[in-house]
Amino acid sequence: MRTIFLSFLLITIVSSCVVSKKKYDALLAQKILTEADLADRSGQLEKANSTLDSLSAQLKKLKDDTLQIRGQKRSTARKLAELEKEHAQLNTYYKNLMNSSGKQTRDLAQQQEQLLAIQQNLEKTRAQNDSLSRGLAEREKKVQELEQVLANKDNMVQQLRTKISNALLNFKENDITVKVKNGQVYVSLAEQLLFGSGSIEVDAKGVTALQQLAKAIKDQKDINIMVEGHTDNVPISKKSQYMNDNWDLSVMRATSISRILMKGGVQPRQITAAGRGEFSPLAVNDTPANKQKNRRTEIIITPNLDELFRILENN
């Protein structure tokens, strides 16, 4: 009987190890995919921010060039008016010479040459003035287009911030904050709202908050969402084959939150789950209050920049 019991116990232990290995492999694969996706999305975000800076610089240059061209156009217009006046005077003088005696023939020929030169200069100046006018109109059109797109983006960000804030009004300010930074909406959720200590399972109150957030943004198809998990610098209390450090903890928390947003109607292609661990703190981890600030999840909502890319390529 004892031998049978030991055999049964050995079989049970072996089966448990097999199941644990499968879970480990699955979680490891998920972690690798998440880190690769994070690197790709982070690169896209850096490219988008770089493009915004480049576009703003180009907008400033276009404005400066427009002011310069306006000055050139005014100068050319004045020159054109002077030439037209001089042309009219010489033309009148030429007609008078035509009616004068033959002794003024040489003066007449000289005046004809001057008149021809002025006419040629006049035509050249007119062509230059027309070219400047067309160039000015095109630049003004580009400036207006860029300003309109940037204004629409800023207006969209502000409206989105207001919509999210209104959706989360029933939560405490120290649990959730919503703000605009660098043209993006940052929704910061404190750990005490979402997770127990060391846990990756979202609490019921946190699920409610995330469901309300998902309801507010699920119809926004022209946004990208980065879910970033953050921790303090205190090592996790119990390591496992699935979780070695705070970095693992932050990634798994971000993944848990992403799944709730997807269940709430947000498209998976719009979401990137990322973990920053302890490496992007809001405050120095030297007091319990500061550590509590650092234990958070940030949901960063960025407008789609395809239209800005299109204008930049056309320019």
Side-chain angles (χ1 to χ4, degrees), residues 189-302:
L189 302 98
E191 181 193 48
Q192 66 265 19
L193 175 68
L194 300 174
F195 301 102
S197 178
S199 173
I200 62 171
E201 182 178 353
V202 181
D203 293 339
K205 189 176 181 181
V207 171
T208 300
L210 293 172
Q211 288 173 339
Q212 292 180 9
L213 174 59
K215 184 178 180 181
I217 64 176
K218 67 179 182 179
D219 295 327
Q220 298 288 143
K221 306 304 180 184
D222 52 354
I223 60 173
N224 295 313
I225 303 162
M226 175 79 77
V227 181
E228 284 188 352
H230 297 265
T231 69
D232 57 24
N233 64 345
V234 178
I236 59 176
S237 59
K238 186 177 181 181
K239 295 183 179 181
S240 68
Q241 56 183 332
Y242 315 119
M243 192 183 305
N244 294 318
D245 51 28
N246 282 326
W247 213 334
D248 287 341
L249 176 62
S250 64
V251 171
M252 291 181 181
R253 284 181 168 182
T255 303
S256 297
I257 290 172
S258 298
R259 288 197 177 98
I260 294 174
L261 293 177
M262 286 186 287
K263 288 181 180 178
V266 181
Q267 294 298 314
R269 61 179 176 79
Q270 295 178 273
I271 303 176
T272 298
R276 302 296 296 274
E278 63 199 67
F279 305 109
S280 183
L282 293 176
V284 179
N285 287 292
D286 55 357
T287 65
N290 284 348
K291 290 179 180 180
Q292 185 179 25
K293 290 180 182 178
N294 294 331
R295 296 192 301 270
R296 69 199 189 280
T297 298
E298 291 186 344
I299 300 176
I300 307 168
I301 303 172
T302 306

Side-chain angles (χ1 to χ4, degrees), residues 65-110:
D65 290 348
T66 298
L67 291 176
Q68 183 178 0
I69 291 175
R70 284 176 178 167
Q72 292 176 354
K73 185 176 181 296
R74 287 194 294 270
S75 176
T76 304
R78 286 194 299 270
K79 185 177 180 181
L80 177 62
E82 293 172 358
L83 288 172
E84 288 177 338
K85 181 179 179 181
E86 185 178 357
H87 176 265
Q89 291 174 346
L90 286 174
N91 196 39
T92 300
Y93 185 53
Y94 170 72
K95 290 179 181 179
N96 291 336
L97 286 176
M98 289 293 292
N99 296 326
S100 64
S101 64
K103 67 179 181 178
Q104 296 178 334
T105 301
R106 285 184 297 178
D107 290 340
L108 178 60
Q110 184 180 2

